[in-house]
Amino acid sequence: MEQKQFKAESKRLLDMMIHSIYTHKEIFLRELISNASDAIDKLYFKSLTDDKVGLAKDDFAIWISADKDSRTLKITDNGIGMTAEELENNLGTIANSGSLKFKTENKLDEDNQIIGQFGVGFYSAFMVAKKVTVITKAYGSDVAYRWESEGVDGYTISEDDKASVGTEIILELLDDTDDEKYGEFLDTYRLKGLITKYSDYIRFPIKMEVTHSRPVEQSEEDKEAGKSPEFEEYIEIETLNSMVPLWKKSKSELKEEDYKHFYTEKFYDYNEPLKYSHVVNEGVPSYNALLYIPSKAPYDFYSKEFEKGLQLYSNGVLIMDKCADLLPDYFCFVKGLVDSEDLSLNISREMLQHDRQLKVIAKSIEKTVSSELKKMLKNDRENYEKFWNEFGVQLKFGVYSGYGMNKDKLQDLLLFTSSQGKLVTLDEYVTAMPEDQKFIYYATGESVARIEQLPQTELVKDKGFEILYLTDNVDEFALKMLMNYKEKEFKNVSSDDLGIENTEKQEEVKAKEEENADMLKSMADFLGESVSKVVLSKRLKSHPVCISSEGEITLEMEKVLNSMPGDQKVKAQRVLEINPDHEIFGKLTAVSSDSEKLGKYAKLLYTQALLIEGMPVENPVEFSNLICELM
Ligand code: ADP
């Protein structure tokens, strides 16, 4: 029999296929079952108008059988089959287009137009098999054919005596190696697992003969004698797939429990989801989706191991377990799946991410998640706050990242702890602002308790203005990105001009500052690099000192940026503020002529301010000695 060669390009593609396109060898089964299902689809469709097919819907099935002795796995369908010509065209040429332009494997990855021309799922069988045999009889044909191949070397086609219409694919599995145990694909349990994982929702039953054992009925005598029963084996035909996916059922058929149960089973979460949404989109591309917001962040959520993504199905067949491109990073907490009939299945189903349709679906999913969150915020505040506590930081990152390109979409989903002791949205904050309040005030620190004690908050609080307490590292960066909300600018309570200082007081402080300019200057000199200047404070009421910053980088940003890996450290320009109404000011002016003492006081006050701010003390030993000395 003549051995035919695969076309030259096919050879390379096959080689690539086996070694690099798919990352998981186990997907060969999904590919072969999908092909079988497609073939059945075609014949089933014919049977609707053609009595000669002679099969009813329930007769159609895919059969799996494994034989450990011969190390063979068989996938059989009673679908449309292939003629000799089809065998040649479909399985003899991997890439049957003459206009092949691809040059490198990478090129394949980029150029979706080219990839779209190939159907190569069948060849994934060679990832696990040393020999593949296809015995097939096409509907309407009298002759059956046998196609055999041991991989890149080529294939043979000969006649066969298969009686019924359909296709049988026989894989002779590769020998086990230290790393790869191909024999596992003969194991009933493993096969069942793969079918539930990848092909559960194939519309036709996937059947397998499964051997069980049961105790043999005992005679009364044996029972009385207490003999242990003997066991016999029996064979049962099991259907391994559930066939109708939940997301394809009509919403009216389904109850809340169905969705929740599905979630806990499918996504291995003990906790019920906080919210779910069943999307049926009949537009183009059409798709169904089930989306869930978990009630708890997974244990690895804030680690590098966490992978975002939704399961992606094409017409009920699982294509990808975590399709990252379906979710923007700021919605990475969403779990669920998408099923569409309109995705172009191409060279590798794992390369789908470059698909244009997929991008359209991703956009539409993003909109759904966003509007579900808005609804929850409006109608179910308690659950929204739970959600916020688990995942809110992601949304703040979303505002900040990409140079703020998503800030408009996300700003109304943000919550902040406020000085009123509750979580507020920016809209709630602005709506509650008294008429004479110009800014949205915020204060930063490592905890709410810590911020509450900051001297800088005094003046704003005294005016009765609400303050947003920012405790997450990303917070201030996110606000900087927002710049303003409903035309109200954000203002750090530590910043220079809070817009509420009364002018009389300002004049008074200014006059005092001029009077004591020399003293303040020499204090700043003593502190050297540590501060950019020493001033008299317009904001402090009861506290003696505080530290504020001037310029772009605030103290909080300095803390955050310097805690990140990397050698480049930043430094905020610190300003030491002294309360001119505090006793301490009198003490300072009294010693102002004693430059040594003034220097010591300056250092003491500066360190005190650092402590209040929660910043590290630059020289703890010197500080401790100074205190003892002055006592
Ligand atoms: P794809 O399924 O992506 O088109 P494959 O390489 O998996 O690519 O299959 C190539 C072609 O071979 C299919 O399009 C189909 O026409 C044919 N084929 C594969 N398996 C079967 C089968 N079980 N029954 C009938 N035709 C099949």
Side-chain angles (χ1 to χ4, degrees):
M1 194 190 316
E2 186 205 353
Q3 168 100 2
K4 299 193 183 183
Q5 296 291 310
F6 285 111
K7 298 256 167 68
E9 292 112 336
S10 304
K11 242 181 178 165
R12 271 196 45 215
L13 199 54
L14 181 56
D15 201 51
M16 218 171 88
M17 175 88 233
I18 298 170
H19 296 112
S20 55
I21 289 184
Y22 290 107
T23 39
H24 304 291
K25 296 194 190 307
E26 63 184 30
I27 58 86
F28 78 93
L29 189 62
R30 171 190 79 189
E31 297 297 327
L32 297 181
I33 288 176
S34 296
N35 283 348
S37 168
D38 289 348
I40 293 179
D41 254 339
K42 288 176 196 159
L43 191 58
Y44 171 59
F45 186 69
K46 261 199 193 325
S47 76
L48 299 176
T49 54
D50 183 349
D51 288 342
K52 286 200 287 294
V53 174
L55 293 170
K57 173 141 207 257
D58 292 346
D59 299 330
F60 290 105
I62 298 161
W63 292 82
I64 309 288
S65 70
D67 178 15
K68 288 194 171 146
D69 296 332
S70 59
R71 274 180 83 83
T72 53
L73 180 66
K74 215 191 294 183
I75 295 110
T76 310
D77 67 71
N78 51 358
I80 195 132
M82 282 176 274
T83 62
E85 198 187 346
E86 283 167 338
L87 261 183
E88 180 89 37
N89 287 339
N90 294 337
L91 307 186
T93 331
I94 300 177
N96 52 10
S97 156
S99 66
L100 292 176
K101 285 195 236 101
F102 62 93
K103 291 192 183 85
T104 63
E105 297 177 16
N106 292 337
K107 177 84 173 151
L108 281 171
D109 206 338
E110 290 158 14
D111 196 338
N112 204 33
Q113 285 312 100
I114 291 181
I115 295 168
Q117 299 171 7
F118 309 124
V120 292
F122 169 78
Y123 297 94
S124 63
F126 286 105
M127 293 191 299
V128 299
K130 50 177 150 182
K131 179 173 178 190
V132 179
T133 306
V134 179
I135 304 171
T136 184
K137 186 173 184 181
Y139 173 70
S141 159
D142 299 329
V143 199
Y145 294 95
R146 167 187 284 260
W147 178 100
E148 284 174 295
S149 170
E150 293 184 15
V152 279
D153 290 341
Y155 59 95
T156 60
I157 294 180
S158 57
E159 286 193 12
D160 194 272
D161 55 8
K162 181 176 174 20
S164 57
V165 170
T167 303
E168 195 174 303
I169 306 216
I170 303 157
L171 310 185
E172 198 179 320
L173 297 180
L174 288 162
D175 298 329
D176 288 352
T177 65
D178 286 345
D179 297 332
E180 296 282 357
K181 304 284 174 242
Y182 300 98
E184 66 176 326
F185 298 121
L186 299 168
D187 182 56
T188 307
Y189 186 75
R190 175 84 167 115
L191 289 167
K192 275 183 167 181
L194 287 178
I195 289 166
T196 334
K197 181 170 177 192
Y198 291 114
S199 313
D200 194 39
Y201 304 115
I202 290 285
R203 281 192 305 280
F204 302 100
I206 303 167
K207 297 185 183 188
M208 187 155 80
E209 284 185 352
V210 180
T211 310
H212 298 280
S213 81
R214 64 184 163 206
V216 181
E217 186 70 37
Q218 281 180 305
S219 67
E220 285 306 315
E221 287 159 32
D222 283 356
K223 260 190 213 164
E224 268 163 38
K227 277 197 182 167
S228 43
E230 296 201 7
F231 283 82
E232 63 177 3
E233 291 196 333
Y234 69 101
I235 290 173
E236 200 172 57
I237 296 170
E238 285 186 26
T239 297
L240 306 180
N241 54 330
S242 72
M243 293 188 276
V244 185
L246 185 81
W247 58 92
K248 289 236 170 135
K249 290 184 178 159
S250 96
K251 291 187 200 177
S252 57
E253 241 182 280
L254 296 163
K255 292 196 278 299
E256 193 174 322
E257 293 106 84
D258 295 324
Y259 290 112
K260 290 189 167 170
H261 180 73
F262 180 82
Y263 170 81
T264 45
E265 287 280 299
K266 182 119 186 155
F267 298 104
Y268 312 107
D269 193 345
Y270 300 113
N271 308 292
E272 284 195 346
L274 210 51
K275 185 122 193 80
Y276 64 84
S277 168
H278 184 175
V279 185
V280 179
N281 188 320
E282 319 222 293
V284 181
S286 74
Y287 73 90
N288 288 20
L290 287 176
L291 304 172
Y292 292 93
I293 296 174
S295 52
K296 286 254 170 292
Y299 70 95
D300 63 349
F301 189 65
Y302 290 102
S303 78
K304 272 211 303 257
E305 275 70 50
F306 180 78
E307 265 183 85
K308 66 163 183 169
L310 299 177
Q311 282 198 330
L312 180 64
Y313 289 81
S314 162
N315 222 347
V317 182
L318 179 65
I319 303 295
M320 219 188 284
D321 208 27
K322 288 243 164 89
C323 181
D325 293 356
L326 283 169
L327 291 174
D329 282 342
Y330 42 89
F331 290 158
C332 64
F333 47 83
V334 175
K335 291 197 177 173
L337 55 88
V338 173
D339 188 359
S340 172
E341 294 173 5
D342 295 338
L343 295 170
S344 51
L345 291 184
N346 45 44
I347 191 159
S348 155
R349 295 179 178 185
E350 290 170 21
M351 286 182 186
L352 256 173
Q353 50 262 53
H354 306 288
D355 194 282
R356 209 177 310 121
Q357 309 276 38
L358 200 73
K359 293 209 169 83
V360 179
I361 296 177
K363 271 266 155 297
S364 145
I365 296 229
E366 177 181 346
K367 278 204 185 119
T368 307
V369 175
S370 169
S371 87
E372 286 296 323
L373 287 174
K374 278 187 185 140
K375 255 194 264 168
M376 180 156 61
L377 175 59
K378 195 162 162 241
N379 307 323
D380 187 3
R381 181 66 169 238
E382 197 185 327
N383 269 334
Y384 191 82
E385 290 189 3
K386 276 191 204 157
F387 154 76
W388 181 258
N389 289 329
E390 291 294 317
F391 302 112
V393 76
Q394 287 304 322
L395 301 190
K396 294 189 278 193
F397 271 114
V399 167
Y400 169 67
S401 61
Y403 301 100
M405 67 192 236
N406 296 302
K407 63 183 185 181
D408 291 343
K409 286 191 257 182
L410 297 173
Q411 61 182 4
D412 283 314
L413 291 171
L414 304 179
L415 289 182
F416 296 92
T417 306
S418 95
S419 49
Q420 315 248 327
K422 58 180 183 190
L423 287 165
V424 297
T425 63
L426 292 175
D427 186 53
E428 286 161 355
Y429 181 100
V430 169
T431 312
M433 275 166 70
E435 218 162 300
D436 61 334
Q437 184 179 343
K438 279 191 262 170
F439 300 111
I440 300 173
Y441 294 104
Y442 68 88
T444 57
E446 64 192 37
S447 67
V448 168
R450 200 81 193 233
I451 300 175
E452 298 233 274
Q453 291 170 353
L454 282 179
Q456 291 94 322
T457 60
E458 269 190 323
L459 186 61
V460 182
K461 272 196 198 150
D462 243 40
K463 281 288 274 183
F465 296 163
E466 196 172 1
I467 303 171
L468 301 179
Y469 289 171
L470 311 187
T471 52
D472 274 323
N473 282 350
V474 65
D475 284 344
E476 195 173 18
F477 294 90
L479 289 194
K480 287 257 175 257
M481 208 44 98
L482 284 175
M483 288 187 300
N484 51 55
Y485 179 82
K486 298 210 169 147
E487 289 165 24
K488 305 285 182 197
E489 220 180 288
F490 293 100
K491 195 72 138 177
N492 191 328
V493 293
S494 310
S495 62
D496 228 9
D497 171 25
L498 292 175
I500 43 179
E501 301 82 355
N502 87 34
T503 32
E504 217 171 285
K505 164 103 187 178
Q506 272 181 320
E507 294 297 318
E508 194 189 307
V509 173
K510 216 164 150 208
K512 266 195 195 164
E513 222 167 31
E514 271 161 27
E515 237 171 80
N516 296 282
D518 288 346
M519 176 184 85
L520 295 172
K521 168 89 174 49
S522 51
M523 284 175 80
D525 289 343
F526 279 118
L527 293 171
E529 296 270 283
S530 304
V531 300
S532 62
K533 60 184 179 190
V534 178
V535 300
L536 294 185
S537 179
K538 300 174 190 112
R539 86 183 90 217
L540 290 175
K541 294 190 59 112
S542 58
H543 290 80
V545 284
C546 73
I547 283 190
S548 60
S549 59
E550 51 180 8
E552 271 307 296
I553 299 174
T554 65
L555 296 170
E556 187 60 22
M557 290 166 96
E558 175 190 307
K559 268 189 257 174
V560 175
L561 292 172
N562 289 349
S563 70
M564 291 177 183
D567 299 334
Q568 285 218 323
K569 298 291 174 207
V570 299
K571 195 155 173 137
Q573 283 186 35
R574 297 160 194 220
V575 177
L576 177 63
E577 297 191 17
I578 297 178
N579 184 351
D581 298 330
H582 196 277
E583 254 179 276
I584 199 78
F585 182 62
K587 291 259 157 90
L588 281 171
T589 45
V591 300
S592 61
S593 52
D594 179 348
S595 80
E596 197 191 333
K597 211 162 205 172
L598 184 67
K600 284 179 180 167
Y601 278 13
K603 283 199 175 138
L604 207 52
L605 288 174
Y606 170 66
T607 311
Q608 217 178 325
L610 284 181
L611 284 170
I612 298 171
E613 193 66 38
M615 317 267 300
V617 172
E618 286 161 15
N619 193 340
V621 175
E622 184 189 41
F623 179 58
S624 159
N625 288 342
L626 273 175
I627 290 179
C628 292
E629 204 178 302
L630 292 165
M631 276 168 81

